[in-house]
Amino acid sequence: APASNTAPHATMTHHTPRPARSIADLATPAVVVDIDALEHNLAAMSERLPGALLRPHVKAHKSTALAALQRKHGHHHFTCATVREMIGMANAGLGDDLLLANEVLDAERLAALAAVQDRAMITIAVDSDATVDAAARAGIKHVLIDVNIGLPRCGCAPHDAARLAERARTKGLVVRGVMGYEGHLMVNKNRATQQTETLAAMDVLRAAANEVGGDVMSAGGTGNYDVHADHRATTGVTEVQAGSYALMDTYYSTLGLPFRQALSIVGTVVSTHDKWAVADVGLKSLGMDHGDPTIADHKVWFCSDEHITFATEKSADATTRAPQPAVGTRVRIVPAHVDPTMAMHEHLWLVRGDEVLDRLPIDLRGW
């Protein structure tokens, strides 16, 4: 069933992590989340975009436990990327207002999503006749018209948004408004240019919103959340779909955002040589589409399936080099892209320094 986490090999015996009191006790590779950095990030975002002004994107962490922490900071509406995330959030009692910001044609999955509408507010994105018709056939009640505002991905042409909205209404769907994702503008170190281009994209989305009708105009992300916070009175955006801010990664860390790096992958050095060391964290435990991960005071050479090869960096004056880590040393590796990294792991560990506080499931993986 779409709501299930069961895989064809699920009858295999899974290893249950032993109780851990410190990072030294963890089986590696292990996802660790610094609780103080996480709380800082959640508080900082809720101060700038309180309540319904933020619709946190759970694809960034895929954990109902972390979503519950976001809810404690005042955010009761959530964005999802998959039907699995939507149903999992509803089953966890976090279904006040869930948006599937993605197009889905799978009739079985849509029917399963429609089945939870009695206990969750469900809205899905549509951008074509086919997606509108699929939603209507499945019994989905609410939709947003997804408008392309510059990223060459999903979204209808802006001039077609009103027609699609009318088609949806004739099929009995409630059109709540529009959404658009200016993902191509998320990471731009020239923040002035980013602001200008974001506001231009919002002009396009607002024009479509005026034609479509409804109360929702949803856009944005972690990389330009501050533009939306500063200009929401003029853009018309009612909610921002930021997600990575909670845990962060090196992709967003270049922008000088007020969020701390909360996530790292703990690995164990398993081999050393004169010029390099190897730890047990590789391609199967790191999202690599945004580049190599980082290790403080070290230079990452490359990643392979189960390993990361790295070397200590020379000092600024190039006269000294830190000692090579010994076999058995624990290292913290920061991924470049948090979302796919989280999808590779079954659970995370909340930590403070080297102390392990709790183990939380990453329970929204899969589709």
Side-chain angles (χ1 to χ4, degrees), residues 10-363:
T11 55
M12 295 174 62
T13 300
H14 290 283
H15 169 69
T16 300
R18 61 185 183 274
R21 294 182 179 178
S22 76
I23 286 179
D25 296 326
L26 297 177
T28 57
V31 178
V32 298
V33 174
D34 182 275
I35 185 63
D36 295 324
L38 172 63
E39 285 291 338
H40 166 86
N41 295 346
L42 300 185
M45 181 62 88
S46 65
E47 182 176 351
R48 291 299 304 279
L49 290 171
L53 293 178
L54 182 75
R55 185 186 283 275
H57 212 316
V58 303
K59 72 170 185 174
H61 54 67
K62 291 187 173 289
S63 169
T64 55
L66 292 189
L69 291 178
Q70 291 172 313
R71 183 182 178 124
K72 287 183 178 180
H73 282 266
H75 304 302
H76 292 249
H77 303 173
F78 292 92
T79 311
C80 300
T82 67
V83 171
R84 174 74 188 92
E85 291 173 10
M86 294 282 281
I87 294 176
M89 290 288 286
N91 289 342
L94 296 166
D96 292 16
D97 192 330
L98 300 175
L99 168 63
L100 179 59
N102 198 2
E103 279 64 34
V104 176
L105 291 170
D106 188 299
E108 184 178 358
R109 286 177 174 150
L110 286 174
L113 186 55
V116 304
Q117 290 178 123
D118 59 338
R119 63 181 186 275
M121 174 64 176
I122 300 295
T123 304
I124 72 170
V126 294
D127 71 350
S128 65
D129 291 357
T131 50
V132 167
D133 295 350
R137 285 194 301 269
I140 297 293
K141 298 176 183 178
H142 300 90
V143 297
L144 288 185
I145 305 301
D146 187 3
V147 181
N148 185 289
I149 53 175
L151 176 69
R153 202 168 69 182
C154 297
C156 68
H159 64 77
D160 199 34
R163 183 193 68 81
L164 282 177
E166 180 59 25
R167 182 183 184 93
R169 291 186 177 106
T170 62
K171 291 184 173 291
L173 298 168
V174 176
V175 179
R176 297 184 64 192
V178 300
M179 66 158 278
Y181 181 51
E182 66 281 23
H184 58 300
L185 305 179
M186 284 302 117
V187 179
N188 188 331
K189 294 180 182 180
N190 186 326
R191 302 306 301 283
T193 299
Q194 183 191 51
Q195 175 177 305
T196 298
E197 293 181 352
T198 295
L199 295 179
M202 292 309 102
D203 287 343
V204 175
L205 187 60
R206 185 172 62 253
N210 291 338
E211 294 292 326
V212 166
D215 299 326
V216 176
M217 184 171 161
S218 188
T222 294
N224 66 352
Y225 85 99
D226 51 340
V227 178
H228 288 288
D230 292 340
H231 297 276
R232 60 188 179 85
T234 55
T235 63
V237 170
T238 62
E239 59 184 37
V240 177
Q241 297 180 15
S244 298
Y245 77 95
L247 299 178
M248 287 297 285
D249 53 33
T250 63
Y251 187 65
Y252 278 121
S253 67
T254 61
L255 297 181
L257 302 175
F259 307 118
R260 299 173 184 170
Q261 186 62 47
L263 172 76
S264 57
I265 311 299
V266 173
T268 303
V269 174
V270 296
S271 182
T272 61
H273 301 266
D274 290 342
K275 296 182 180 180
W276 70 88
V278 181
D280 59 351
V281 177
L283 298 172
K284 295 176 183 176
S285 53
L286 293 164
M288 296 286 292
D289 56 307
H290 288 169
D292 286 336
T294 62
I295 304 174
D297 301 321
H298 294 78
K299 174 67 175 178
V300 172
W301 285 9
F302 62 91
C303 292
S304 45
D305 282 359
E306 306 291 353
H307 303 105
I308 183 168
T309 298
F310 62 100
T312 55
E313 291 191 313
K314 288 185 177 180
S315 61
D317 60 9
T319 60
T320 62
R321 186 188 298 272
Q324 193 78 311
V327 170
T329 302
R330 294 298 170 98
V331 292
R332 294 203 192 195
I333 298 157
V334 180
H337 194 180
V338 60
D339 307 25
T341 297
M342 294 298 284
M344 297 178 182
H345 300 267
E346 295 180 344
H347 54 266
L348 64 91
W349 301 91
L350 285 181
V351 303
R352 177 174 286 119
D354 287 336
E355 179 187 7
V356 173
L357 306 177
D358 201 0
R359 174 179 176 267
L360 302 177
I362 304 173
D363 53 344

